[in-house]
């Protein structure tokens, strides 16, 4: 059997804009788009990425990736309607994960970076939760104000600006009406004595036993990640999947082996679509579409406090189980090997019981018996990126 394993590099080799930063650039264009100008086309979405201008030299140049995209596909047919733009604008504005990623867009270029940013956010949350619990243990409640100031004072919880900004983007702080704290700008009441601006805010109040409901907040955060996944799914539906080649693709290589089975780490169905193939494909991280089951998250929870909070919904393994993706990679073939191995070991025990001489036993242990499992599999890997 010929098995083809494809990753995001497969789509990128076909000049489809499936990189993380392609997605974020398009979303930024939509978020800041003027619906009064009407629908948005391919050029409106990606002009910032494929057309650059050096502010110092005034020199202009094109991104070669998008030069190929525009040469190979009917990009002029990509149109995002005003209703679709407006819908996406509302979704982007209300999604805390998008706002978080958008704020750190320069730090995130790949899907691996994306996972690391989720992990960083969860670890920062974990640290805050640990501090909340520590204060509650000593006071019986957590009613501290939040401040960026470095001076040690009673009733004030100090936090670094970077952590404050991240937690604020994730919707955990609420405006403190007492001090007129203006969270979006990051600064609030001016301290008349110290002479510096100090954001003073409350932790979001609710009915949690610690003065803060971990479960309620984490549920919100997980729901927001699901909504972010839906936004990404719309991007694949409205843009990537609508890119139609100007000519049919054809693979011409003496080394090419037509696959009998595809295992895809992508969310798209590019091979079957472009090469008009009916070959069976399994999507290990889910796939886009009306019934999308896209998996976006971290590999595992390293922090013990996050495990105590049961934040497993952010892990890819948990999502694969609940979204019913084909997560059992090559499981059928592995079971054949394990079954053969178990039968071989059982037969060996029976033969050994009949007092085989050491030479015969050695011969069987080397795999010369009748129970070898030989899998005739040819693997091709295209574009693990």
């Amino acid at each position: 059997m010929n098995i083809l394993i494809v990753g995001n590099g497969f789509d990128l080799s076909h000049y489809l804009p499936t990189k993380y930063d392609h997605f974020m650039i398009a979303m930024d264009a939509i978020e800041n788009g003027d619906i009064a100008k009407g629908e948005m086309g391919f050029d409106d979405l990606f002009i910032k990425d494929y057309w650059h201008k050096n502010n110092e030299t005034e020199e202009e140049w094109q991104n070669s990736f998008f030069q190929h995209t525009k040469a190979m596909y009917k990009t002029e047919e990509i149109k995002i309607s005003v209703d679709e733009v407006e819908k996406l604008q509302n979704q982007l504005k209300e999604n805390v994960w998008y706002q978080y990623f958008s704020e750190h867009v320069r730090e995130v270029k790949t899907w691996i970076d994306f996972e690391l940013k989720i992990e960083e956010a969860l670890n920062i949350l974990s640290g805050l939760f640990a501090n909340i619990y520590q204060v509650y243990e000593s006071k019986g409640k957590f009613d501290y104000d939040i401040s960026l100031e470095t001076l040690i004072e009673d009733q004030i919880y100090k936090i670094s600006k970077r952590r404050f900004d991240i937690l604020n983007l994730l919707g955990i702080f609420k405006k403190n009406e007492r001090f007129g704290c203006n969270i979006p700008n990051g600064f609030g009441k001016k301290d008349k004595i110290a002479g510096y601006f100090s954001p003073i805010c409350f932790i979001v109040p609710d009915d949690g036993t610690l003065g803060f409901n971990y479960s309620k907040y984490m549920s919100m955060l997980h729901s927001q990640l699901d909504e972010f996944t839906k936004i990404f799914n719309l991007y694949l539906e409205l843009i990537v999947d609508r890119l139609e080649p100007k000519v049919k693709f054809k693979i011409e290589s003496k080394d090419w082996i037509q696959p009998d089975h595809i295992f895809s780490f992508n969310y798209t169905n590019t091979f079957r679509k472009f090469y008009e193939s009916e070959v069976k494909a399994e999507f290990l991280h889910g796939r886009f579409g009306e019934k999308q089951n896209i998996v976006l998250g971290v590999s595992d929870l390293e922090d013990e406090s996050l495990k105590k909070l049961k934040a497993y919904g952010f892990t890819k393994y948990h999502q694969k189980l609940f979204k019913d993706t084909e997560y059992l990679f090559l499981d059928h073939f592995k079971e054949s090997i394990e079954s053969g191995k178990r039968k071989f070991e059982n037969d060996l025990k029976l033969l050994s019981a009949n007092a085989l001489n050491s030479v015969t036993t050695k011969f069987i242990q080397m795999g010369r018996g009748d129970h070898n499992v030989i899998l005739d599999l040819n693997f091709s890997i295209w574009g693990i990126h």
Side-chain angles (χ1 to χ4, degrees):
M1 177 180 286
N2 300 320
I3 295 177
L4 175 63
I5 300 174
V6 296
N8 195 35
F10 179 82
D11 282 359
L12 295 176
S13 69
H14 288 76
Y15 294 98
L16 293 173
T18 55
K19 288 179 65 178
Y20 169 83
D21 53 345
H22 293 157
F23 162 62
M24 290 298 288
I25 285 166
M27 291 303 101
D28 178 70
I30 289 174
E31 183 184 21
N32 297 292
D34 185 356
I35 58 176
K37 294 182 179 180
E39 63 185 12
M40 297 184 72
F42 186 87
D43 288 1
D44 299 316
L45 298 171
F46 295 107
I47 190 68
K48 286 186 179 180
D49 198 43
Y50 73 74
W51 191 264
H52 299 262
K53 182 177 181 179
N54 188 309
N55 293 329
E56 294 181 2
T57 65
E58 299 296 318
E59 181 182 2
E60 295 181 340
W61 58 279
Q62 282 183 283
N63 185 322
S64 62
F65 181 93
F66 281 100
Q67 282 183 289
H68 282 87
T69 305
K70 290 174 70 66
M72 294 167 61
Y73 298 95
K74 302 173 184 177
T75 57
E76 68 280 358
E77 295 182 1
I78 300 297
K79 302 292 181 183
I80 312 297
S81 70
V82 172
D83 287 343
E84 290 168 333
V85 170
E86 194 168 14
K87 177 184 176 181
L88 274 167
Q89 284 180 337
N90 291 330
Q91 290 176 303
L92 295 171
K93 179 181 179 181
E94 296 172 1
N95 191 267
V96 298
W97 283 109
Y98 171 76
Q99 295 302 324
Y100 167 63
F101 295 129
S102 181
E103 186 70 19
H104 298 87
V105 69
R106 291 184 179 180
E107 300 173 20
V108 184
K109 293 299 180 183
T110 69
W111 289 109
I112 294 176
D113 297 333
F114 167 84
E115 293 178 17
L116 292 175
K117 292 305 292 184
I118 294 179
E119 186 175 2
E120 179 187 13
L122 292 177
N123 287 335
I124 289 175
L125 284 168
S126 171
L128 178 64
F129 294 164
N131 287 327
I132 290 175
Y133 184 77
Q134 184 178 20
V135 171
Y136 178 80
E137 285 286 278
S138 62
K139 292 188 57 182
K141 60 181 178 179
F142 184 91
D143 57 354
Y144 282 16
D145 295 324
I146 306 300
S147 174
L148 299 193
E149 63 186 73
T150 57
L151 298 178
I152 298 176
E153 300 176 18
D154 292 336
Q155 308 302 314
I156 297 291
Y157 174 72
K158 269 68 66 177
I159 189 171
S160 71
K161 185 177 187 307
R162 176 176 174 79
R163 287 173 177 262
F164 175 86
D165 289 342
I166 289 175
L167 291 167
N168 179 44
L169 288 167
L170 295 176
I172 201 169
F173 294 134
K174 184 179 180 180
K175 182 178 179 181
N176 185 339
E177 299 296 341
R178 291 187 303 153
F179 295 103
C181 177
N182 187 0
I183 296 295
N185 294 329
F187 295 99
K189 180 186 177 184
K190 185 174 182 179
D191 190 306
K192 295 181 180 179
I193 298 176
Y196 54 79
F197 287 94
S198 172
I200 308 285
C201 315
F202 281 136
I203 293 294
V204 178
D206 55 24
D207 57 353
T209 57
L210 304 184
F212 176 75
N213 192 322
Y214 299 96
S215 177
K216 182 178 178 181
Y217 175 75
M218 293 301 284
S219 177
M220 178 280 291
L221 212 56
H222 182 254
S223 176
Q224 287 282 289
L225 186 60
D226 282 341
E227 292 301 313
F228 180 84
T229 301
K230 293 176 183 177
I231 293 171
F232 177 56
N233 181 65
L234 276 175
Y235 169 77
L236 295 176
E237 284 189 313
L238 298 176
I239 302 167
V240 176
D241 191 52
R242 290 185 184 178
L243 285 170
E244 293 295 331
K246 294 179 180 179
V247 296
K248 286 187 177 181
F249 288 106
K250 185 178 180 182
I251 300 174
E252 295 182 345
S253 172
K254 63 180 181 179
D255 299 321
W256 173 248
I257 301 174
Q258 189 66 23
D260 302 306
H261 201 114
I262 295 175
F263 286 94
S264 176
F265 288 89
N266 298 336
Y267 310 112
T268 55
N269 198 17
T270 304
F271 184 87
R272 293 199 297 185
K273 176 184 176 181
F274 286 170
Y275 297 100
E276 300 177 353
S277 171
E278 297 299 323
V279 62
K280 182 179 179 181
E282 296 188 39
F283 299 86
L284 283 84
H285 289 166
R287 60 175 301 182
F288 83 100
E290 184 179 352
K291 297 180 180 180
Q292 65 89 10
N293 59 346
I294 291 174
V295 171
L296 284 179
V298 298
S299 297
D300 199 3
L301 297 178
E302 300 293 339
D303 195 291
E304 288 300 320
S305 60
L306 287 173
K307 293 178 183 178
K308 291 179 181 178
L309 290 170
K310 296 181 173 59
Y312 297 106
F314 296 97
T315 65
K316 289 187 285 188
Y317 181 71
H318 182 278
Q319 292 179 30
K320 288 176 183 180
L321 289 173
F322 276 80
K323 294 185 177 183
D324 195 27
T325 68
E326 286 92 348
Y327 58 90
L328 298 176
F329 183 49
L330 299 177
D331 188 65
H332 170 72
F333 304 108
K334 287 189 288 186
E335 178 55 34
S336 295
I337 294 173
E338 290 299 323
S339 177
K341 180 181 178 181
R342 288 192 296 270
K343 189 170 184 358
F344 176 79
E345 289 174 346
N346 288 333
D347 289 351
L348 184 58
K349 289 178 182 178
L350 292 174
L351 290 171
S352 298
N354 292 325
L356 291 175
N357 63 51
S358 60
V359 176
T360 305
T361 303
K362 182 72 172 178
F363 185 75
I364 295 173
Q365 288 175 333
M366 289 173 61
R368 306 290 184 177
D370 296 330
H371 304 302
N372 277 349
V373 178
I374 300 175
L375 299 178
D376 185 15
L377 301 177
N378 295 312
F379 288 93
S380 298
I381 301 175
W382 189 339
I384 303 300
H385 184 77

